[in-house]
Amino acid sequence: MVKEREDFLVIGKDLPKVEAEAKARGECKFAGDISLPDMLHGKILRSPHAHAIVKRIDTSKAKRLPGVKAVITHKDVPQQLVWRTYFFTPSASVRDNYILEKEVRYVGDRVAAVAATSPEIAEEALGLIEVEYELLPAVFDPIQAMQPDATLVHRMIKRGDDEIKMKNNILAPVNWVIGDVEEGFKQADLVVENEYKTISVHNAQMERTTVTCQPLPGGRLEVWVPTQNIHGTRIDLAKSLGIPNNKVKVHRLFCGGTFGVRSQASFIEAICGFLALQTRRPVRIELSREEMFLNGGRHPMVMRLKTGVRKDGTFTALDIHWIDDTGAYSATAESMLSLASGFLLSMYRCPNMRVDGYTVYTNTPPRTAMRGVGNPQQNFAIEQQMDIIAEKLDVDPLELRLKNHVREGDRFYGQGPDIVCVVQSSGTEQLIKEGAKLIGWEHRKAVTPYKNQPWIKRGIGMARGFHTSSAASVKPSDFCLDYSGAAVRVNENGTANLITPCADSGTGNLSAHAAMVAEVLGLRYEDVTVTEADTDFTHFDSGTHASRGVYAQGLAVFAASTNAKKIILDWAARILEVPADHLEARDRRIYAKTDPSIEIGIEEVLRIGHLQDWGTPIASASVRAPACPPHFTVIFVEVDVDTMTGEVKLVRAIGGADVGTVINPQAVRGQTIGGLHMGMGFALTEASIIDPVDGHVVNPNFRDYKLLTPLDMPKVETILADTYEPTGPFGAKGVGEGATNPVASAVANAIYNAIGARIYSLPMTPEKILEAIRNKQESAGNKRG
Amino acid sequence: MVKEREDFLVIGKDLPKVEAEAKARGECKFAGDISLPDMLHGKILRSPHAHAIVKRIDTSKAKRLPGVKAVITHKDVPQQLVWRTYFFTPSASVRDNYILEKEVRYVGDRVAAVAATSPEIAEEALGLIEVEYELLPAVFDPIQAMQPDATLVHRMIKRGDDEIKMKNNILAPVNWVIGDVEEGFKQADLVVENEYKTISVHNAQMERTTVTCQPLPGGRLEVWVPTQNIHGTRIDLAKSLGIPNNKVKVHRLFCGGTFGVRSQASFIEAICGFLALQTRRPVRIELSREEMFLNGGRHPMVMRLKTGVRKDGTFTALDIHWIDDTGAYSATAESMLSLASGFLLSMYRCPNMRVDGYTVYTNTPPRTAMRGVGNPQQNFAIEQQMDIIAEKLDVDPLELRLKNHVREGDRFYGQGPDIVCVVQSSGTEQLIKEGAKLIGWEHRKAVTPYKNQPWIKRGIGMARGFHTSSAASVKPSDFCLDYSGAAVRVNENGTANLITPCADSGTGNLSAHAAMVAEVLGLRYEDVTVTEADTDFTHFDSGTHASRGVYAQGLAVFAASTNAKKIILDWAARILEVPADHLEARDRRIYAKTDPSIEIGIEEVLRIGHLQDWGTPIASASVRAPACPPHFTVIFVEVDVDTMTGEVKLVRAIGGADVGTVINPQAVRGQTIGGLHMGMGFALTEASIIDPVDGHVVNPNFRDYKLLTPLDMPKVETILADTYEPTGPFGAKGVGEGATNPVASAVANAIYNAIGARIYSLPMTPEKILEAIRNKQESAGNKRG
């Protein structure tokens, strides 16, 4: 859309986020900043057991504590499973938890809640609640959970309103076949089979979750919560509380990171809302960092890949067996494995492919969406498999990728095997070639960079990937909603307000939207205010997930701005007495395209229209994205591996991104660098560790959960591909998730390049590296011997 | 508009205000309920002198007081006159005050302001500010203020950006001539001339003013203030602070009464906003009741009316000389006298009329708009004049009115003598006839109702009047803006949100709007939520003044609802496969007009559209009212006058209102009764008294300022006329102000009927009544003697 004019004044420029200065000044309101007169503080009593029945619960002592205004248990809350998967259609929503549970399913599960006049009193009251548990067997390992005799984590769940009796712990099998896999393997000259494993890492967003709910006139409930989806929160929370959805009002807040976990309800909203309605007072629940680790994180997966390939590097078959562990509760779990499957099938051209996958419940903390939703996992498998195959075929891994990568005109299976999506733009080739040059790919070989430390080996590796931009299924309403709306108000002084429901996780999608508004209306970036927003007055938006912010939400912003522009051109036409379609808006003025000397300032047009009672130029649009174009990424990394300690030092990284038209280069680079950081932590250090005996989270804090720090980061360069996505606003597509997906694979391939040994499971700790080196030496010794 | 369907389901029904239950529960947020983290408290240092120059001001001690965050004086604030008249066009806005003054012009004028961490510290800091004043002569009486040697209250003011050098204290002369007045008097058989006088009464709304301003990201300012006009507040405040108007965001709040005073800025908004921007913290200023009396109230007027009339009761000439006292500052003053003049000219048919009027500044508290803006004053004159003429002609006052009242097809001079407005609906005749019957007009004569108290005399009186519905001038932009906008969001569950900037002073205009939305969309009243609103996302609205809420704002609501209905009918058409124009919405369903069995619930339509990604049905409209139809009122009252004490007891009152189609009878009756209450206080007890020596307000509190209590109220009946205003939404016109305008006149006429003596000035205190009785007796004695 709108390719004609390339001399943009705002699009493509390095611009700070609209809230950058305010954030630096500490003026942005986050959920934790909400404080209301008369507010109560809520706390949650959590299960010390991984699996148990609450036999008896006595809250009488807690209720008698002065300052306590409410104590609730499973007996008090609505006897219905809650709704938590914001953007799924009701019929696709898996529902498996109550506001509070009678049967607890992991260490930290929600048993009771208190609202009191201070957090201290609420905490004290928790200690006065007496609970008698009947312990049940628990299962922590997904493979064990699939055994026929495994304890049932759930006996009943619902999909929408349909009850599902669980006979085992398997939630969502994925069994897809494309072509004829057996036949494909027959045609292969080489068959490579390996198992790869990822562990749960946590979204680890800096901002802890605070939920505040306040009763409003008319039996309404006002909600402040960091979420990627204010409208989904509204609709789900209303259903969970059993009130009409127009009775819930959810504010958009600044978010201190989300990374997917805030694309579904956090278990806390409904507790807080229920307490507020019951006490008729505002209630605030602020989670501790420890509590944050009780929900969220990437699904751990066990992945077995079998690839058939001809000598010339043509793939003939791909057979995938995998297991996905969703923990004690699901929500996005059903989509997770099918998305991962679709993504894996969309990596390389192959006529025969099969997926045999299972999502299972375990008595571990519930996992959610996390940046890449299945893509980092599948990528860790396929992109190592590619290097292994290349080595066996003795071809350059880049050549193997360049030959087979899915590109313009190819099928994209992001929506599953039956739904036809076709790639319309790809910068993969450009990024591979430019990245290779920059990193010095030709000269890569395991070298010893430090003369005095010959045990330190240097390696270069790469991987490529992508992520979808939006979750737009071609057929609406089967699985998830995918549309967004926005409104643009042109103010009396010729500035504009962007009125949008869209959440900004901190990535800058709203800033990209502001740039679009400015470009369309011919205003300066600073003339656009992104207003505060809530669900009462904004259009529905499916949410800021699936890297749909710039692309799918951007389409709505583009359409709304275009409609607003029509109004102001009409006004200018009245004043200038030139037909509106002869006019153009640019640089704060409107001029006749044929004679730019016929012109008027936009501020003057608005002033006149306001004083002439022409109305308020507010225009809006709802748009369903017509596609879900993958935005491609190519990562190169250079590492130093200390073969004495097993430590990996990141030396250099190149992040290549194909995001279509670059709306704001600085922001895209920021996303790319952030994605590298997150992917490197996934690769090397991060792991949310579950105690194998009692199931508790061993490291629920930022001391023991190892995030990479700035000091751990390598020198980073970025490359932005020169592409144009024909379905996107100004030719743009997504940015955020693609940046992470291939990073761990690239690091793994670089380690292999350095030490000649391969690590098949994450994180790639010093212990595993030392073990891999040992195994390789033993195997070499055996060969020699 | 839309007369065809009279079987309304919502319109015309007695319904509680949308916020009624929440108000009863104390859940509605008023300005005084706003409390923000980190908030400072502001206080204002006020002048003890009526007229002086601030020679020297030393704030250093105050600034040193711990907890004080800012102390500002005239030296710190922008050196420009502020903007306070929300709905006037810039060129018509009189500007005559700074945020803080170097020259103070009345006792209580703003000298300095403090922001501190508590109200107590702020108060203490005020005491530490040292001020040296140079006293100037002061003038408190408008007649004296017009003398050539009077002290100048202002030396310079601005109209828009034009500087006006003041040579005297006269602000806005009104000199209008229609026909030939001298010729008219020549044709008269009888000429009657009298002088009438009103005093300043205060709006006396229950809610004191609290303003809270908070800095927002992006250099923006968030404002909570009780106002009749959030958009006007935004635009004026931004200009006054010297920041772009898109940098100011004003919230709508529930209001505890406004009665016109909140249709212009209160002097406090700019002080509070300036302090918040300076301290970068939220600042709250809460006025005391005493401070409330330092601004606001009805303009006192001295009115000389000379009427020429033929024996048959036909008017030949009306000559008006009057003086309007605006106090120390103006804002709406220029409009006040011209409105009063237009209203007086529109009372009765007369070919020759002349107005010679002057608005003057005095060193007294600035007066503002107040319910009726000039109408209660002129009505107190003309409606007594009518009774006097009727008596002299020996005709029934009702007959004289029925013969001459301005009615359908007649000119309405609400916009001045040159702008043609024609009355299109009038219920005056019906109301006079029904009211007369109800009160027992035929049998009225001064009687002695209590056998044992023969000194108590009973009288019946009446008066009629009207008020404009909206201030829509036929030619836009000369004088004031008159347009409104609204948006309607139909929710995913088939309910609707009304998104409107319109303020509700407590009268229920927003509830009337909700009823309109429900009726248009075929929903129940309780399905409509009037959302909270602010200036960021709503359409411009000229404000809730000039009784334009139901009429002019209602037109925008009607249009927005109709647009929203189009969307949902289109959706239903897709589902039912029936053309949209064959469909109708009613009672929460949509059906084919030709075959109502083809139908679908509105909730189901919305559910399907939502899941099919059809977008969000938000529709909006901006509408400029096509007219300013007068809504007519007729008041009858019955009083007992104690001729020993001079006390007047209100016995019975009949409030007749012609409001076009009655949207909500209960609400119209409420307005009528409230108007009676306010008019009776104006008639008998209320007066904001200025000390004639030093100019201070003698009675700035509710102990000494005498409002009527419920116990003072008579038995009240209401009559609603059966009329239809063709330009109004559903045929409705205004309600609020007409109810007050003729009340004092009716009481005066009833007193005359009781005691045979007439009181020409307000309030009609026992002292004045005793004096009138004495004068009458003396004059009778003289005649006898």
Side-chain angles (χ1 to χ4, degrees), chain B residues 528-544:
Chain B
V528 180
T529 298
V530 181
T531 71
E532 291 74 35
D534 68 53
T535 49
D536 272 0
F537 61 83
T538 53
H539 290 67
F540 180 83
D541 164 49
S542 299
T544 305

mmCIF file of all heavy atoms in Angstrom, chain B residues 528-544:
data_model
loop_
_atom_site.group_PDB
_atom_site.id
_atom_site.type_symbol
_atom_site.label_atom_id
_atom_site.label_comp_id
_atom_site.label_asym_id
_atom_site.label_seq_id
_atom_site.Cartn_x
_atom_site.Cartn_y
_atom_site.Cartn_z
ATOM 1 N N VAL B 528 -27.233 0.762 27.857
ATOM 2 C CA VAL B 528 -26.368 1.851 27.398
ATOM 3 C C VAL B 528 -25.501 2.338 28.554
ATOM 4 O O VAL B 528 -26.012 2.693 29.611
ATOM 5 C CB VAL B 528 -27.195 3.022 26.837
ATOM 6 C CG1 VAL B 528 -26.274 4.151 26.365
ATOM 7 C CG2 VAL B 528 -28.078 2.537 25.692
ATOM 8 N N THR B 529 -24.212 2.321 28.347
ATOM 9 C CA THR B 529 -23.271 2.865 29.328
ATOM 10 C C THR B 529 -22.782 4.217 28.831
ATOM 11 O O THR B 529 -22.305 4.317 27.700
ATOM 12 C CB THR B 529 -22.054 1.927 29.486
ATOM 13 O OG1 THR B 529 -22.511 0.669 29.970
ATOM 14 C CG2 THR B 529 -21.029 2.509 30.455
ATOM 15 N N VAL B 530 -22.916 5.222 29.655
ATOM 16 C CA VAL B 530 -22.288 6.502 29.331
ATOM 17 C C VAL B 530 -20.883 6.420 29.889
ATOM 18 O O VAL B 530 -20.686 6.383 31.103
ATOM 19 C CB VAL B 530 -23.058 7.679 29.951
ATOM 20 C CG1 VAL B 530 -22.393 8.994 29.573
ATOM 21 C CG2 VAL B 530 -24.511 7.664 29.493
ATOM 22 N N THR B 531 -19.919 6.330 29.029
ATOM 23 C CA THR B 531 -18.548 6.100 29.494
ATOM 24 C C THR B 531 -17.967 7.365 30.103
ATOM 25 O O THR B 531 -18.434 8.470 29.826
ATOM 26 C CB THR B 531 -17.626 5.670 28.336
ATOM 27 O OG1 THR B 531 -17.404 6.798 27.488
ATOM 28 C CG2 THR B 531 -18.229 4.546 27.529
ATOM 29 N N GLU B 532 -16.948 7.188 30.910
ATOM 30 C CA GLU B 532 -16.157 8.326 31.337
ATOM 31 C C GLU B 532 -15.567 8.963 30.068
ATOM 32 O O GLU B 532 -15.399 8.289 29.054
ATOM 33 C CB GLU B 532 -15.034 7.879 32.284
ATOM 34 C CG GLU B 532 -15.523 7.403 33.643
ATOM 35 C CD GLU B 532 -16.177 6.031 33.620
ATOM 36 O OE1 GLU B 532 -15.748 5.181 32.841
ATOM 37 O OE2 GLU B 532 -17.143 5.808 34.371
ATOM 38 N N ALA B 533 -15.246 10.236 30.169
ATOM 39 C CA ALA B 533 -14.809 10.915 28.949
ATOM 40 C C ALA B 533 -13.714 11.912 29.255
ATOM 41 O O ALA B 533 -13.616 12.436 30.365
ATOM 42 C CB ALA B 533 -15.987 11.642 28.309
ATOM 43 N N ASP B 534 -12.870 12.134 28.269
ATOM 44 C CA ASP B 534 -11.934 13.249 28.358
ATOM 45 C C ASP B 534 -11.755 13.845 26.974
ATOM 46 O O ASP B 534 -12.327 13.355 25.996
ATOM 47 C CB ASP B 534 -10.604 12.808 29.000
ATOM 48 C CG ASP B 534 -9.811 11.850 28.140
ATOM 49 O OD1 ASP B 534 -9.565 12.156 26.968
ATOM 50 O OD2 ASP B 534 -9.414 10.791 28.646
ATOM 51 N N THR B 535 -10.979 14.904 26.921
ATOM 52 C CA THR B 535 -10.878 15.658 25.667
ATOM 53 C C THR B 535 -9.990 14.986 24.634
ATOM 54 O O THR B 535 -10.015 15.380 23.471
ATOM 55 C CB THR B 535 -10.289 17.055 25.948
ATOM 56 O OG1 THR B 535 -9.113 16.903 26.754
ATOM 57 C CG2 THR B 535 -11.291 17.915 26.675
ATOM 58 N N ASP B 536 -9.209 13.993 25.040
ATOM 59 C CA ASP B 536 -8.294 13.376 24.087
ATOM 60 C C ASP B 536 -9.017 12.656 22.962
ATOM 61 O O ASP B 536 -8.553 12.636 21.836
ATOM 62 C CB ASP B 536 -7.400 12.353 24.800
ATOM 63 C CG ASP B 536 -6.144 12.977 25.378
ATOM 64 O OD1 ASP B 536 -5.962 14.191 25.241
ATOM 65 O OD2 ASP B 536 -5.350 12.222 25.966
ATOM 66 N N PHE B 537 -10.122 12.015 23.313
ATOM 67 C CA PHE B 537 -10.709 11.101 22.329
ATOM 68 C C PHE B 537 -12.122 11.476 21.915
ATOM 69 O O PHE B 537 -12.686 10.854 21.039
ATOM 70 C CB PHE B 537 -10.673 9.658 22.842
ATOM 71 C CG PHE B 537 -11.445 9.427 24.119
ATOM 72 C CD1 PHE B 537 -12.801 9.211 24.097
ATOM 73 C CD2 PHE B 537 -10.799 9.430 25.347
ATOM 74 C CE1 PHE B 537 -13.513 8.988 25.259
ATOM 75 C CE2 PHE B 537 -11.497 9.214 26.521
ATOM 76 C CZ PHE B 537 -12.862 8.991 26.472
ATOM 77 N N THR B 538 -12.699 12.470 22.570
ATOM 78 C CA THR B 538 -14.085 12.801 22.250
ATOM 79 C C THR B 538 -14.162 13.935 21.222
ATOM 80 O O THR B 538 -13.205 14.668 21.012
ATOM 81 C CB THR B 538 -14.849 13.238 23.510
ATOM 82 O OG1 THR B 538 -14.112 14.294 24.141
ATOM 83 C CG2 THR B 538 -15.020 12.084 24.469
ATOM 84 N N HIS B 539 -15.327 14.050 20.641
ATOM 85 C CA HIS B 539 -15.602 15.141 19.723
ATOM 86 C C HIS B 539 -15.703 16.458 20.497
ATOM 87 O O HIS B 539 -15.989 16.465 21.686
ATOM 88 C CB HIS B 539 -16.929 14.892 19.003
ATOM 89 C CG HIS B 539 -16.883 13.762 18.025
ATOM 90 N ND1 HIS B 539 -16.709 12.456 18.402
ATOM 91 C CD2 HIS B 539 -16.972 13.751 16.677
ATOM 92 C CE1 HIS B 539 -16.693 11.687 17.329
ATOM 93 N NE2 HIS B 539 -16.844 12.442 16.269
ATOM 94 N N PHE B 540 -15.522 17.532 19.784
ATOM 95 C CA PHE B 540 -15.731 18.838 20.393
ATOM 96 C C PHE B 540 -17.205 19.003 20.743
ATOM 97 O O PHE B 540 -18.088 18.529 20.029
ATOM 98 C CB PHE B 540 -15.304 19.943 19.421
ATOM 99 C CG PHE B 540 -15.494 21.326 19.983
ATOM 100 C CD1 PHE B 540 -14.545 21.883 20.819
ATOM 101 C CD2 PHE B 540 -16.636 22.055 19.693
ATOM 102 C CE1 PHE B 540 -14.717 23.147 21.358
ATOM 103 C CE2 PHE B 540 -16.821 23.327 20.227
ATOM 104 C CZ PHE B 540 -15.865 23.875 21.059
ATOM 105 N N ASP B 541 -17.452 19.672 21.848
ATOM 106 C CA ASP B 541 -18.816 20.038 22.239
ATOM 107 C C ASP B 541 -18.740 21.456 22.769
ATOM 108 O O ASP B 541 -17.837 21.785 23.538
ATOM 109 C CB ASP B 541 -19.312 19.103 23.347
ATOM 110 C CG ASP B 541 -20.537 19.657 24.042
ATOM 111 O OD1 ASP B 541 -21.493 20.057 23.344
ATOM 112 O OD2 ASP B 541 -20.548 19.716 25.294
ATOM 113 N N SER B 542 -19.666 22.283 22.362
ATOM 114 C CA SER B 542 -19.627 23.683 22.805
ATOM 115 C C SER B 542 -19.881 23.818 24.289
ATOM 116 O O SER B 542 -19.576 24.844 24.879
ATOM 117 C CB SER B 542 -20.670 24.504 22.056
ATOM 118 O OG SER B 542 -20.406 24.478 20.690
ATOM 119 N N GLY B 543 -20.466 22.793 24.878
ATOM 120 C CA GLY B 543 -20.665 22.835 26.316
ATOM 121 C C GLY B 543 -22.119 22.621 26.705
ATOM 122 O O GLY B 543 -23.030 22.704 25.883
ATOM 123 N N THR B 544 -22.286 22.331 27.975
ATOM 124 C CA THR B 544 -23.628 22.142 28.518
ATOM 125 C C THR B 544 -24.064 23.458 29.133
ATOM 126 O O THR B 544 -23.887 23.707 30.314
ATOM 127 C CB THR B 544 -23.618 21.003 29.552
ATOM 128 O OG1 THR B 544 -23.089 19.836 28.942
ATOM 129 C CG2 THR B 544 -25.021 20.710 30.057
#
